[in-house]
Amino acid sequence: MIHVELQSVRKTFGSVVAVNGVNLSIEKGETLALLGPSGCGKTTTLNMIAGFLDLDDGNILINGKVINNVPPNKRNVGMVFQNYALFPHLRVYDNVGFGLQMRKVPKAEITEKVKRALDMVRLPGVEERYPKQLSGGQQQRVALARALVFNPDILLLDEPLSNLDAKLREEMRLELMDLRRRLGITSIFVTHDQEEALVLSDRVAVMNAGVIEQLAIPTEIYEKPKTGFVASFIGEFNKMAGEVAEIGSGGAVKVKIAEGVVIKSNQGYGGKVGDKVQVMIRPERMRLSLQATASDNSFPVKVEKIAYLGMVIRYYITIGGVRCVVFVANRGDRLNIATGADVHVEWDNEHSLIAGL
Amino acid sequence: MPTRRRRLFLIPVFLVLPLLAIFLVFYLPPIAYTFIQSFYKFSPMKGIIKEWHLGNYGKFLTDSYYLGILWRTIWLSAVVALVCLVLGYPVAYYILHMAGRARGLLVLLILSPLLVTVVIRSLGWIILLAPTGPLNRAVMGLHITSKPLPILFQESGVIIGLAHIYFAFMVLSLISSLQRIDPSLPLAARNLGANTVQAFLRVTLPLSLPGVLAGSVLVFVLSVGSFVIPAMLGGGKVTVLTYLIYQQYIKFVNWPFGNAMAFILLVLASGIILLAGRWLERGKYSAVFQ
């Protein structure tokens, strides 16, 4: 069942087009991530769903009803703001209870519900404190409790984890996942952090320049980026420009990068021989070995630089004149490869993605 | 490192030193002298007599004439502060939501009364509010009243004149306070189910209380200490404390009594400010002031 729907939503600020015809359908209970760089229109989209901004064109529907002209206070949408937007002059009790007070819920019930909401976000007993007396992570939990306590139809989160330090972020991420599973509430969150989007959402909408470039499940976004923008925004890619040399059956394609360097792929290509294309390979899909093995792609290279990051080791090499990087997971059996070593870089056909230029 | 840290610690001291010096040399001694002199005796024949007594204070605090004027000074100033607040809040709120250029122009417009000296400005008001002035002619021409409105040389005239000039102080102090409010807070209130009025009353207004307090105190203090406007627009009929002090100094040369009145005014005005501040800071929204 479709819960939230955006139909050709458009928003301009003066001469700047912030959102340019966005279409989205979000299922009941689904979590959708709006992912993109700053200025891509993701926050504007969220603000339009919340009712803080009017649409220039298009419709927003909740439960099949157009809500374009419904004021924010009548939308029954919970929102967690990027800076949490806790009321500094009110105690946590009044912050969390605000939505219930506005809905004229009896006092005893408010007390009970606030308590339960704070228990839910694992922050019991802070009712009497002021937001300032809480840490960033605690404020985040209060903001979450405040957005959920009045049983909203949908939950909106604006960069929910961006203000937390790395360790806390990981912890909150797991808790958000858990909470999401327990509550089953339809949620939309905005983020510029790809990991956050991949981990927390059922589907990811990658936005750029006011449009959705790709809307898919996280694995598909990562494995099969539809556009060059999605490919470059999510994860890393080694990109090599070349010319289609051969198109075989079953998706087999050969791309010539340089003299004597031909990359094989089985991902298919819709164009013709001689087209200029780009071959993209994820650094973690490449391997290094001391001896050449029977791989689809295998090229002798020299290790130029090694960056030891702990969890992974990055080896810099050059294939056909293009600087590439290979990620090798640090499994303890460190390859006995030093800078300057002659090795072979290898990968399988299916990891060579081909995009038109 | 300790010496370096000590030097860094001294920087703020150096920064306030010039102002501190001016205060200590030019401000404190006259005040101290005024205070001392307020306990001296005075005789119309012999002038100031250096004999200690509390008579000046006693005379003021037991005479209903003086107390009445003190009371009038205080409530007049309070009304001016209130008028400025009620008229200034919407203006400040509006200015804050305006675009850059228009905002600058409006602020300039609000500051413009300060560009004209107080005497000229008051003369302007006298002409405007006079029984045969444009305001009364308009009011009578429209048959709203048959007689000129009793504004000039009345308390209402003084209030108008004072509010006109101190309005800018109120608006500026409100703007600076409203500006500091995170714009997502009223949005959060709206999101949680508050309509615009509720969001304003529960979030924006309480968070702007420091500005309300600062602006009111500023206008109140300036009004209590104003002399020219009550003298001119009151036409000698609206006597305020500053006018009494002026009389004692210039007409009767009774400086000790004038000094005592000045001190009573100082203590009372400061006391009221402190109490108002305490009341707000200890109230429901005490967290705003921390």
Side-chain angles (χ1 to χ4, degrees), chain A residues 73 77 79 83 85-87 89 99 101 103 130 132, chain B residues 182 185 190-195 202 287-288 290:
Chain A
N73 48 321
V77 165
M79 178 145 175
N83 58 3
L86 296 177
F87 306 125
H89 59 302
Q101 289 166 4
R103 283 166 178 76
Y130 283 95
K132 235 183 307 192
Chain B
D182 175 357
L185 293 178
R190 299 276 283 133
N191 172 255
L192 292 168
N195 59 35
R202 293 289 308 271
V288 184
Q290 278 158 19

mmCIF file with all atom_site columns, all heavy atoms in Angstrom, chain A residues 73 77 79 83 85-87 89 99 101 103 130 132, chain B residues 182 185 190-195 202 287-288 290:
data_model
loop_
_atom_site.group_PDB
_atom_site.id
_atom_site.type_symbol
_atom_site.label_atom_id
_atom_site.label_alt_id
_atom_site.label_comp_id
_atom_site.label_asym_id
_atom_site.label_entity_id
_atom_site.label_seq_id
_atom_site.pdbx_PDB_ins_code
_atom_site.Cartn_x
_atom_site.Cartn_y
_atom_site.Cartn_z
_atom_site.occupancy
_atom_site.B_iso_or_equiv
_atom_site.pdbx_formal_charge
_atom_site.auth_seq_id
_atom_site.auth_comp_id
_atom_site.auth_asym_id
_atom_site.auth_atom_id
_atom_site.pdbx_PDB_model_num
ATOM 1   N N   . ASN A 1 73  ? 0.867  21.805 11.029 1.00 0.00 ? 73  ASN A N   1
ATOM 2   C CA  . ASN A 1 73  ? 0.355  21.305 12.307 1.00 0.00 ? 73  ASN A CA  1
ATOM 3   C C   . ASN A 1 73  ? -0.809 20.332 12.142 1.00 0.00 ? 73  ASN A C   1
ATOM 4   O O   . ASN A 1 73  ? -1.228 19.710 13.103 1.00 0.00 ? 73  ASN A O   1
ATOM 5   C CB  . ASN A 1 73  ? -0.055 22.463 13.220 1.00 0.00 ? 73  ASN A CB  1
ATOM 6   C CG  . ASN A 1 73  ? -0.918 23.484 12.520 1.00 0.00 ? 73  ASN A CG  1
ATOM 7   O OD1 . ASN A 1 73  ? -0.693 23.797 11.360 1.00 0.00 ? 73  ASN A OD1 1
ATOM 8   N ND2 . ASN A 1 73  ? -1.910 23.990 13.214 1.00 0.00 ? 73  ASN A ND2 1
ATOM 9   N N   . VAL A 1 77  ? 2.784  14.526 11.126 1.00 0.00 ? 77  VAL A N   1
ATOM 10  C CA  . VAL A 1 77  ? 4.062  14.013 10.651 1.00 0.00 ? 77  VAL A CA  1
ATOM 11  C C   . VAL A 1 77  ? 5.102  14.330 11.730 1.00 0.00 ? 77  VAL A C   1
ATOM 12  O O   . VAL A 1 77  ? 5.169  15.450 12.205 1.00 0.00 ? 77  VAL A O   1
ATOM 13  C CB  . VAL A 1 77  ? 4.446  14.728 9.338  1.00 0.00 ? 77  VAL A CB  1
ATOM 14  C CG1 . VAL A 1 77  ? 5.906  14.502 9.014  1.00 0.00 ? 77  VAL A CG1 1
ATOM 15  C CG2 . VAL A 1 77  ? 3.560  14.241 8.196  1.00 0.00 ? 77  VAL A CG2 1
ATOM 16  N N   . MET A 1 79  ? 8.923  14.890 13.036 1.00 0.00 ? 79  MET A N   1
ATOM 17  C CA  . MET A 1 79  ? 10.169 15.276 12.370 1.00 0.00 ? 79  MET A CA  1
ATOM 18  C C   . MET A 1 79  ? 11.304 15.414 13.384 1.00 0.00 ? 79  MET A C   1
ATOM 19  O O   . MET A 1 79  ? 11.137 15.988 14.453 1.00 0.00 ? 79  MET A O   1
ATOM 20  C CB  . MET A 1 79  ? 9.974  16.595 11.621 1.00 0.00 ? 79  MET A CB  1
ATOM 21  C CG  . MET A 1 79  ? 11.239 17.086 10.958 1.00 0.00 ? 79  MET A CG  1
ATOM 22  S SD  . MET A 1 79  ? 10.888 17.912 9.386  1.00 0.00 ? 79  MET A SD  1
ATOM 23  C CE  . MET A 1 79  ? 12.523 18.492 8.951  1.00 0.00 ? 79  MET A CE  1
ATOM 24  N N   . ASN A 1 83  ? 19.519 19.845 13.712 1.00 0.00 ? 83  ASN A N   1
ATOM 25  C CA  . ASN A 1 83  ? 20.107 20.323 14.970 1.00 0.00 ? 83  ASN A CA  1
ATOM 26  C C   . ASN A 1 83  ? 19.195 19.981 16.144 1.00 0.00 ? 83  ASN A C   1
ATOM 27  O O   . ASN A 1 83  ? 19.301 20.576 17.202 1.00 0.00 ? 83  ASN A O   1
ATOM 28  C CB  . ASN A 1 83  ? 20.358 21.824 14.894 1.00 0.00 ? 83  ASN A CB  1
ATOM 29  C CG  . ASN A 1 83  ? 19.093 22.596 14.608 1.00 0.00 ? 83  ASN A CG  1
ATOM 30  O OD1 . ASN A 1 83  ? 18.014 22.009 14.514 1.00 0.00 ? 83  ASN A OD1 1
ATOM 31  N ND2 . ASN A 1 83  ? 19.195 23.899 14.483 1.00 0.00 ? 83  ASN A ND2 1
ATOM 32  N N   . ALA A 1 85  ? 16.492 20.870 17.158 1.00 0.00 ? 85  ALA A N   1
ATOM 33  C CA  . ALA A 1 85  ? 15.474 21.900 17.403 1.00 0.00 ? 85  ALA A CA  1
ATOM 34  C C   . ALA A 1 85  ? 14.692 21.644 18.680 1.00 0.00 ? 85  ALA A C   1
ATOM 35  O O   . ALA A 1 85  ? 13.476 21.797 18.719 1.00 0.00 ? 85  ALA A O   1
ATOM 36  C CB  . ALA A 1 85  ? 14.525 22.025 16.203 1.00 0.00 ? 85  ALA A CB  1
ATOM 37  N N   . LEU A 1 86  ? 15.384 21.242 19.738 1.00 0.00 ? 86  LEU A N   1
ATOM 38  C CA  . LEU A 1 86  ? 14.714 21.108 21.033 1.00 0.00 ? 86  LEU A CA  1
ATOM 39  C C   . LEU A 1 86  ? 14.476 22.509 21.582 1.00 0.00 ? 86  LEU A C   1
ATOM 40  O O   . LEU A 1 86  ? 15.307 23.397 21.394 1.00 0.00 ? 86  LEU A O   1
ATOM 41  C CB  . LEU A 1 86  ? 15.577 20.293 21.996 1.00 0.00 ? 86  LEU A CB  1
ATOM 42  C CG  . LEU A 1 86  ? 15.828 18.848 21.587 1.00 0.00 ? 86  LEU A CG  1
ATOM 43  C CD1 . LEU A 1 86  ? 16.752 18.178 22.591 1.00 0.00 ? 86  LEU A CD1 1
ATOM 44  C CD2 . LEU A 1 86  ? 14.526 18.074 21.487 1.00 0.00 ? 86  LEU A CD2 1
ATOM 45  N N   . PHE A 1 87  ? 13.340 22.700 22.261 1.00 0.00 ? 87  PHE A N   1
ATOM 46  C CA  . PHE A 1 87  ? 13.040 24.018 22.801 1.00 0.00 ? 87  PHE A CA  1
ATOM 47  C C   . PHE A 1 87  ? 13.915 24.257 24.030 1.00 0.00 ? 87  PHE A C   1
ATOM 48  O O   . PHE A 1 87  ? 13.748 23.592 25.047 1.00 0.00 ? 87  PHE A O   1
ATOM 49  C CB  . PHE A 1 87  ? 11.560 24.117 23.165 1.00 0.00 ? 87  PHE A CB  1
ATOM 50  C CG  . PHE A 1 87  ? 10.653 23.753 22.020 1.00 0.00 ? 87  PHE A CG  1
ATOM 51  C CD1 . PHE A 1 87  ? 9.691  22.770 22.146 1.00 0.00 ? 87  PHE A CD1 1
ATOM 52  C CD2 . PHE A 1 87  ? 10.783 24.397 20.793 1.00 0.00 ? 87  PHE A CD2 1
ATOM 53  C CE1 . PHE A 1 87  ? 8.869  22.431 21.086 1.00 0.00 ? 87  PHE A CE1 1
ATOM 54  C CE2 . PHE A 1 87  ? 9.969  24.068 19.723 1.00 0.00 ? 87  PHE A CE2 1
ATOM 55  C CZ  . PHE A 1 87  ? 9.017  23.083 19.871 1.00 0.00 ? 87  PHE A CZ  1
ATOM 56  N N   . HIS A 1 89  ? 14.002 26.493 26.223 1.00 0.00 ? 89  HIS A N   1
ATOM 57  C CA  . HIS A 1 89  ? 13.380 27.059 27.419 1.00 0.00 ? 89  HIS A CA  1
ATOM 58  C C   . HIS A 1 89  ? 12.445 26.076 28.118 1.00 0.00 ? 89  HIS A C   1
ATOM 59  O O   . HIS A 1 89  ? 11.856 26.411 29.132 1.00 0.00 ? 89  HIS A O   1
ATOM 60  C CB  . HIS A 1 89  ? 12.622 28.329 27.063 1.00 0.00 ? 89  HIS A CB  1
ATOM 61  C CG  . HIS A 1 89  ? 11.537 28.114 26.048 1.00 0.00 ? 89  HIS A CG  1
ATOM 62  N ND1 . HIS A 1 89  ? 11.781 27.584 24.801 1.00 0.00 ? 89  HIS A ND1 1
ATOM 63  C CD2 . HIS A 1 89  ? 10.214 28.341 26.095 1.00 0.00 ? 89  HIS A CD2 1
ATOM 64  C CE1 . HIS A 1 89  ? 10.647 27.522 24.127 1.00 0.00 ? 89  HIS A CE1 1
ATOM 65  N NE2 . HIS A 1 89  ? 9.676  27.966 24.892 1.00 0.00 ? 89  HIS A NE2 1
ATOM 66  N N   . GLY A 1 99  ? 3.834  17.912 21.546 1.00 0.00 ? 99  GLY A N   1
ATOM 67  C CA  . GLY A 1 99  ? 2.867  17.450 20.552 1.00 0.00 ? 99  GLY A CA  1
ATOM 68  C C   . GLY A 1 99  ? 1.572  16.965 21.186 1.00 0.00 ? 99  GLY A C   1
ATOM 69  O O   . GLY A 1 99  ? 0.487  17.155 20.639 1.00 0.00 ? 99  GLY A O   1
ATOM 70  N N   . GLN A 1 101 ? 0.449  18.015 24.201 1.00 0.00 ? 101 GLN A N   1
ATOM 71  C CA  . GLN A 1 101 ? -0.220 19.191 24.757 1.00 0.00 ? 101 GLN A CA  1
ATOM 72  C C   . GLN A 1 101 ? -1.020 19.907 23.672 1.00 0.00 ? 101 GLN A C   1
ATOM 73  O O   . GLN A 1 101 ? -2.145 20.344 23.900 1.00 0.00 ? 101 GLN A O   1
ATOM 74  C CB  . GLN A 1 101 ? 0.812  20.151 25.363 1.00 0.00 ? 101 GLN A CB  1
ATOM 75  C CG  . GLN A 1 101 ? 1.434  19.624 26.651 1.00 0.00 ? 101 GLN A CG  1
ATOM 76  C CD  . GLN A 1 101 ? 2.680  20.403 27.062 1.00 0.00 ? 101 GLN A CD  1
ATOM 77  O OE1 . GLN A 1 101 ? 3.051  21.377 26.434 1.00 0.00 ? 101 GLN A OE1 1
ATOM 78  N NE2 . GLN A 1 101 ? 3.318  19.944 28.123 1.00 0.00 ? 101 GLN A NE2 1
ATOM 79  N N   . ARG A 1 103 ? -2.314 18.564 21.208 1.00 0.00 ? 103 ARG A N   1
ATOM 80  C CA  . ARG A 1 103 ? -3.456 17.728 20.845 1.00 0.00 ? 103 ARG A CA  1
ATOM 81  C C   . ARG A 1 103 ? -4.430 17.579 21.998 1.00 0.00 ? 103 ARG A C   1
ATOM 82  O O   . ARG A 1 103 ? -5.321 16.725 21.951 1.00 0.00 ? 103 ARG A O   1
ATOM 83  C CB  . ARG A 1 103 ? -2.945 16.360 20.388 1.00 0.00 ? 103 ARG A CB  1
ATOM 84  C CG  . ARG A 1 103 ? -2.384 16.402 18.969 1.00 0.00 ? 103 ARG A CG  1
ATOM 85  C CD  . ARG A 1 103 ? -1.566 15.143 18.654 1.00 0.00 ? 103 ARG A CD  1
ATOM 86  N NE  . ARG A 1 103 ? -1.073 15.165 17.281 1.00 0.00 ? 103 ARG A NE  1
ATOM 87  C CZ  . ARG A 1 103 ? -0.037 15.909 16.870 1.00 0.00 ? 103 ARG A CZ  1
ATOM 88  N NH1 . ARG A 1 103 ? 0.589  16.686 17.738 1.00 0.00 ? 103 ARG A NH1 1
ATOM 89  N NH2 . ARG A 1 103 ? 0.349  15.886 15.616 1.00 0.00 ? 103 ARG A NH2 1
ATOM 90  N N   . TYR A 1 130 ? 16.860 20.204 31.347 1.00 0.00 ? 130 TYR A N   1
ATOM 91  C CA  . TYR A 1 130 ? 16.746 21.071 30.176 1.00 0.00 ? 130 TYR A CA  1
ATOM 92  C C   . TYR A 1 130 ? 17.647 20.523 29.075 1.00 0.00 ? 130 TYR A C   1
ATOM 93  O O   . TYR A 1 130 ? 18.667 19.898 29.361 1.00 0.00 ? 130 TYR A O   1
ATOM 94  C CB  . TYR A 1 130 ? 17.153 22.505 30.536 1.00 0.00 ? 130 TYR A CB  1
ATOM 95  C CG  . TYR A 1 130 ? 16.070 23.233 31.293 1.00 0.00 ? 130 TYR A CG  1
ATOM 96  C CD1 . TYR A 1 130 ? 16.069 23.288 32.683 1.00 0.00 ? 130 TYR A CD1 1
ATOM 97  C CD2 . TYR A 1 130 ? 15.027 23.844 30.606 1.00 0.00 ? 130 TYR A CD2 1
ATOM 98  C CE1 . TYR A 1 130 ? 15.062 23.930 33.378 1.00 0.00 ? 130 TYR A CE1 1
ATOM 99  C CE2 . TYR A 1 130 ? 14.018 24.484 31.286 1.00 0.00 ? 130 TYR A CE2 1
ATOM 100 C CZ  . TYR A 1 130 ? 14.035 24.537 32.672 1.00 0.00 ? 130 TYR A CZ  1
ATOM 101 O OH  . TYR A 1 130 ? 13.026 25.169 33.332 1.00 0.00 ? 130 TYR A OH  1
ATOM 102 N N   . LYS A 1 132 ? 19.908 21.711 27.332 1.00 0.00 ? 132 LYS A N   1
ATOM 103 C CA  . LYS A 1 132 ? 21.311 22.101 27.457 1.00 0.00 ? 132 LYS A CA  1
ATOM 104 C C   . LYS A 1 132 ? 22.092 21.177 28.388 1.00 0.00 ? 132 LYS A C   1
ATOM 105 O O   . LYS A 1 132 ? 23.307 21.074 28.299 1.00 0.00 ? 132 LYS A O   1
ATOM 106 C CB  . LYS A 1 132 ? 21.379 23.531 28.018 1.00 0.00 ? 132 LYS A CB  1
ATOM 107 C CG  . LYS A 1 132 ? 22.170 24.477 27.146 1.00 0.00 ? 132 LYS A CG  1
ATOM 108 C CD  . LYS A 1 132 ? 22.258 25.852 27.788 1.00 0.00 ? 132 LYS A CD  1
ATOM 109 C CE  . LYS A 1 132 ? 20.889 26.369 28.158 1.00 0.00 ? 132 LYS A CE  1
ATOM 110 N NZ  . LYS A 1 132 ? 20.857 27.781 28.510 1.00 0.00 ? 132 LYS A NZ  1
ATOM 111 N N   . ASP B 2 182 ? 16.820 30.145 16.994 1.00 0.00 ? 182 ASP B N   1
ATOM 112 C CA  . ASP B 2 182 ? 16.997 29.188 15.908 1.00 0.00 ? 182 ASP B CA  1
ATOM 113 C C   . ASP B 2 182 ? 15.710 29.114 15.085 1.00 0.00 ? 182 ASP B C   1
ATOM 114 O O   . ASP B 2 182 ? 14.648 28.794 15.618 1.00 0.00 ? 182 ASP B O   1
ATOM 115 C CB  . ASP B 2 182 ? 17.327 27.834 16.554 1.00 0.00 ? 182 ASP B CB  1
ATOM 116 C CG  . ASP B 2 182 ? 17.414 26.712 15.542 1.00 0.00 ? 182 ASP B CG  1
ATOM 117 O OD1 . ASP B 2 182 ? 17.163 26.958 14.350 1.00 0.00 ? 182 ASP B OD1 1
ATOM 118 O OD2 . ASP B 2 182 ? 17.743 25.592 15.960 1.00 0.00 ? 182 ASP B OD2 1
ATOM 119 N N   . LEU B 2 185 ? 13.112 26.314 15.410 1.00 0.00 ? 185 LEU B N   1
ATOM 120 C CA  . LEU B 2 185 ? 12.296 26.081 16.612 1.00 0.00 ? 185 LEU B CA  1
ATOM 121 C C   . LEU B 2 185 ? 10.801 26.327 16.376 1.00 0.00 ? 185 LEU B C   1
ATOM 122 O O   . LEU B 2 185 ? 9.988  25.473 16.722 1.00 0.00 ? 185 LEU B O   1
ATOM 123 C CB  . LEU B 2 185 ? 12.822 26.918 17.786 1.00 0.00 ? 185 LEU B CB  1
ATOM 124 C CG  . LEU B 2 185 ? 14.203 26.501 18.300 1.00 0.00 ? 185 LEU B CG  1
ATOM 125 C CD1 . LEU B 2 185 ? 14.661 27.416 19.416 1.00 0.00 ? 185 LEU B CD1 1
ATOM 126 C CD2 . LEU B 2 185 ? 14.189 25.065 18.776 1.00 0.00 ? 185 LEU B CD2 1
ATOM 127 N N   . ARG B 2 190 ? 5.387  23.995 14.989 1.00 0.00 ? 190 ARG B N   1
ATOM 128 C CA  . ARG B 2 190 ? 4.323  23.800 13.997 1.00 0.00 ? 190 ARG B CA  1
ATOM 129 C C   . ARG B 2 190 ? 4.195  22.318 13.659 1.00 0.00 ? 190 ARG B C   1
ATOM 130 O O   . ARG B 2 190 ? 3.104  21.786 13.578 1.00 0.00 ? 190 ARG B O   1
ATOM 131 C CB  . ARG B 2 190 ? 4.649  24.586 12.714 1.00 0.00 ? 190 ARG B CB  1
ATOM 132 C CG  . ARG B 2 190 ? 4.770  26.069 12.908 1.00 0.00 ? 190 ARG B CG  1
ATOM 133 C CD  . ARG B 2 190 ? 3.426  26.758 12.867 1.00 0.00 ? 190 ARG B CD  1
ATOM 134 N NE  . ARG B 2 190 ? 2.942  26.899 11.505 1.00 0.00 ? 190 ARG B NE  1
ATOM 135 C CZ  . ARG B 2 190 ? 1.702  26.601 11.135 1.00 0.00 ? 190 ARG B CZ  1
ATOM 136 N NH1 . ARG B 2 190 ? 0.867  26.115 12.005 1.00 0.00 ? 190 ARG B NH1 1
ATOM 137 N NH2 . ARG B 2 190 ? 1.311  26.792 9.886  1.00 0.00 ? 190 ARG B NH2 1
ATOM 138 N N   . ASN B 2 191 ? 5.334  21.678 13.483 1.00 0.00 ? 191 ASN B N   1
ATOM 139 C CA  . ASN B 2 191 ? 5.349  20.263 13.154 1.00 0.00 ? 191 ASN B CA  1
ATOM 140 C C   . ASN B 2 191 ? 4.672  19.430 14.240 1.00 0.00 ? 191 ASN B C   1
ATOM 141 O O   . ASN B 2 191 ? 4.032  18.426 13.965 1.00 0.00 ? 191 ASN B O   1
ATOM 142 C CB  . ASN B 2 191 ? 6.798  19.800 12.952 1.00 0.00 ? 191 ASN B CB  1
ATOM 143 C CG  . ASN B 2 191 ? 6.911  18.299 12.791 1.00 0.00 ? 191 ASN B CG  1
ATOM 144 O OD1 . ASN B 2 191 ? 7.333  17.609 13.696 1.00 0.00 ? 191 ASN B OD1 1
ATOM 145 N ND2 . ASN B 2 191 ? 6.494  17.795 11.650 1.00 0.00 ? 191 ASN B ND2 1
ATOM 146 N N   . LEU B 2 192 ? 4.827  19.888 15.498 1.00 0.00 ? 192 LEU B N   1
ATOM 147 C CA  . LEU B 2 192 ? 4.275  19.121 16.612 1.00 0.00 ? 192 LEU B CA  1
ATOM 148 C C   . LEU B 2 192 ? 2.798  19.426 16.842 1.00 0.00 ? 192 LEU B C   1
ATOM 149 O O   . LEU B 2 192 ? 2.215  18.931 17.800 1.00 0.00 ? 192 LEU B O   1
ATOM 150 C CB  . LEU B 2 192 ? 5.082  19.410 17.874 1.00 0.00 ? 192 LEU B CB  1
ATOM 151 C CG  . LEU B 2 192 ? 6.519  18.871 17.845 1.00 0.00 ? 192 LEU B CG  1
ATOM 152 C CD1 . LEU B 2 192 ? 7.333  19.442 18.982 1.00 0.00 ? 192 LEU B CD1 1
ATOM 153 C CD2 . LEU B 2 192 ? 6.512  17.351 17.918 1.00 0.00 ? 192 LEU B CD2 1
ATOM 154 N N   . GLY B 2 193 ? 2.225  20.268 15.999 1.00 0.00 ? 193 GLY B N   1
ATOM 155 C CA  . GLY B 2 193 ? 0.784  20.478 16.093 1.00 0.00 ? 193 GLY B CA  1
ATOM 156 C C   . GLY B 2 193 ? 0.358  21.862 16.539 1.00 0.00 ? 193 GLY B C   1
ATOM 157 O O   . GLY B 2 193 ? -0.826 22.090 16.764 1.00 0.00 ? 193 GLY B O   1
ATOM 158 N N   . ALA B 2 194 ? 1.309  22.786 16.684 1.00 0.00 ? 194 ALA B N   1
ATOM 159 C CA  . ALA B 2 194 ? 0.952  24.142 17.107 1.00 0.00 ? 194 ALA B CA  1
ATOM 160 C C   . ALA B 2 194 ? 0.555  24.969 15.894 1.00 0.00 ? 194 ALA B C   1
ATOM 161 O O   . ALA B 2 194 ? 1.230  24.902 14.864 1.00 0.00 ? 194 ALA B O   1
ATOM 162 C CB  . ALA B 2 194 ? 2.125  24.795 17.829 1.00 0.00 ? 194 ALA B CB  1
ATOM 163 N N   . ASN B 2 195 ? -0.518 25.759 16.019 1.00 0.00 ? 195 ASN B N   1
ATOM 164 C CA  . ASN B 2 195 ? -0.805 26.695 14.938 1.00 0.00 ? 195 ASN B CA  1
ATOM 165 C C   . ASN B 2 195 ? 0.137  27.897 15.085 1.00 0.00 ? 195 ASN B C   1
ATOM 166 O O   . ASN B 2 195 ? 0.916  27.956 16.037 1.00 0.00 ? 195 ASN B O   1
ATOM 167 C CB  . ASN B 2 195 ? -2.283 27.100 14.927 1.00 0.00 ? 195 ASN B CB  1
ATOM 168 C CG  . ASN B 2 195 ? -2.723 27.751 16.227 1.00 0.00 ? 195 ASN B CG  1
ATOM 169 O OD1 . ASN B 2 195 ? -1.942 28.476 16.848 1.00 0.00 ? 195 ASN B OD1 1
ATOM 170 N ND2 . ASN B 2 195 ? -3.937 27.487 16.637 1.00 0.00 ? 195 ASN B ND2 1
ATOM 171 N N   . ARG B 2 202 ? 4.214  29.945 22.577 1.00 0.00 ? 202 ARG B N   1
ATOM 172 C CA  . ARG B 2 202 ? 4.911  28.930 23.360 1.00 0.00 ? 202 ARG B CA  1
ATOM 173 C C   . ARG B 2 202 ? 6.414  28.914 23.091 1.00 0.00 ? 202 ARG B C   1
ATOM 174 O O   . ARG B 2 202 ? 7.180  28.431 23.913 1.00 0.00 ? 202 ARG B O   1
ATOM 175 C CB  . ARG B 2 202 ? 4.349  27.533 23.049 1.00 0.00 ? 202 ARG B CB  1
ATOM 176 C CG  . ARG B 2 202 ? 2.925  27.311 23.513 1.00 0.00 ? 202 ARG B CG  1
ATOM 177 C CD  . ARG B 2 202 ? 2.826  27.202 25.029 1.00 0.00 ? 202 ARG B CD  1
ATOM 178 N NE  . ARG B 2 202 ? 3.727  26.224 25.606 1.00 0.00 ? 202 ARG B NE  1
ATOM 179 C CZ  . ARG B 2 202 ? 3.427  24.951 25.787 1.00 0.00 ? 202 ARG B CZ  1
ATOM 180 N NH1 . ARG B 2 202 ? 2.252  24.493 25.448 1.00 0.00 ? 202 ARG B NH1 1
ATOM 181 N NH2 . ARG B 2 202 ? 4.303  24.128 26.336 1.00 0.00 ? 202 ARG B NH2 1
ATOM 182 N N   . ALA B 2 287 ? 15.040 29.213 32.082 1.00 0.00 ? 287 ALA B N   1
ATOM 183 C CA  . ALA B 2 287 ? 16.138 28.628 31.303 1.00 0.00 ? 287 ALA B CA  1
ATOM 184 C C   . ALA B 2 287 ? 16.595 29.555 30.183 1.00 0.00 ? 287 ALA B C   1
ATOM 185 O O   . ALA B 2 287 ? 17.732 29.478 29.734 1.00 0.00 ? 287 ALA B O   1
ATOM 186 C CB  . ALA B 2 287 ? 15.705 27.296 30.722 1.00 0.00 ? 287 ALA B CB  1
ATOM 187 N N   . VAL B 2 288 ? 15.694 30.447 29.737 1.00 0.00 ? 288 VAL B N   1
ATOM 188 C CA  . VAL B 2 288 ? 16.043 31.349 28.642 1.00 0.00 ? 288 VAL B CA  1
ATOM 189 C C   . VAL B 2 288 ? 17.166 32.294 29.047 1.00 0.00 ? 288 VAL B C   1
ATOM 190 O O   . VAL B 2 288 ? 17.944 32.749 28.212 1.00 0.00 ? 288 VAL B O   1
ATOM 191 C CB  . VAL B 2 288 ? 14.804 32.182 28.223 1.00 0.00 ? 288 VAL B CB  1
ATOM 192 C CG1 . VAL B 2 288 ? 15.108 33.056 27.037 1.00 0.00 ? 288 VAL B CG1 1
ATOM 193 C CG2 . VAL B 2 288 ? 13.648 31.275 27.938 1.00 0.00 ? 288 VAL B CG2 1
ATOM 194 N N   . GLN B 2 290 ? 19.714 31.731 31.081 1.00 0.00 ? 290 GLN B N   1
ATOM 195 C CA  . GLN B 2 290 ? 20.985 31.164 31.547 1.00 0.00 ? 290 GLN B CA  1
ATOM 196 C C   . GLN B 2 290 ? 22.026 31.100 30.440 1.00 0.00 ? 290 GLN B C   1
ATOM 197 O O   . GLN B 2 290 ? 21.674 30.932 29.294 1.00 0.00 ? 290 GLN B O   1
ATOM 198 C CB  . GLN B 2 290 ? 20.749 29.777 32.124 1.00 0.00 ? 290 GLN B CB  1
ATOM 199 C CG  . GLN B 2 290 ? 20.248 29.874 33.566 1.00 0.00 ? 290 GLN B CG  1
ATOM 200 C CD  . GLN B 2 290 ? 19.508 28.635 33.984 1.00 0.00 ? 290 GLN B CD  1
ATOM 201 O OE1 . GLN B 2 290 ? 19.636 27.598 33.378 1.00 0.00 ? 290 GLN B OE1 1
ATOM 202 N NE2 . GLN B 2 290 ? 18.701 28.768 35.022 1.00 0.00 ? 290 GLN B NE2 1
#
